[in-house]
Amino acid sequence: MGQKINPLGFRLGTTQDHHSLWFAQPKNYSEGLQEDQKIRDYIKDYVQKNMRISSGVEGIARIEIQKRIDLIQVIIFMGFPTKLLIESRPLGIEELQKNLQKELNCVNRKLNISVARISKPYRNPTILSEFIAGQLKNRVSFRKAMKKAIELTEQADTKGIQIQIAGRIDGKEIARVEWIREGRVPLQTIRAKIDYCFYTVRTIYGVLGIKIWIFIDEE
């Protein structure tokens, strides 16, 4: 019987850090958790709707949230910030900040949003899964999409990658799981810095699930 665990949660405190940093009393914890999810969902929807994404890749790797008594600090880590936020909409960040503050209705706390650029976008599994999802939506063969994704990660100096796609692949009647691995992906080694993501893509045949493990380095 397989015992499975999220690779990121497995490595918290060693090679991985929390994406949300704040403290709350037990009775207020659920409210803070829902607020974090609301912030992340709103930012992703805003970027998708207003930034005129032509490639299908939003470029949001992760969103880190730090909360204090009077401040909510949100840092958006993006692979292509110049393309999405600066060139097309110079006031995109200010507009997003203003709209999100109204949505959260946080009167006593200031909201501050900043954007940080990732030097190697295709080293991040979230950005890579968005690329594969865009290829699958355009009816590109799943094997071709996975091989192209592996080529992109090899250019970003990674030690190994594993990609898994599950569902009605290529419109087949019976759902199945297909996977490919290149290099080493030591999932049971805690000191191995492995980045992971799960992404859902809706195609005309149904919903497909994409899982990506990227072995970056060993500490």
Side-chain angles (χ1 to χ4, degrees), residues 93-103 111 113:
I93 290 294
E94 293 178 17
E95 186 182 335
L96 173 60
Q97 196 167 287
K98 195 184 294 181
N99 292 343
L100 185 54
Q101 191 143 13
K102 285 180 184 176
E103 186 73 20
L111 179 70
I113 298 177

Side-chain angles (χ1 to χ4, degrees), residues 44-53:
K44 287 176 182 176
D45 289 343
Y46 182 87
V47 170
Q48 198 170 21
K49 288 176 184 175
N50 299 320
M51 299 306 173
R52 295 180 183 176
I53 301 167

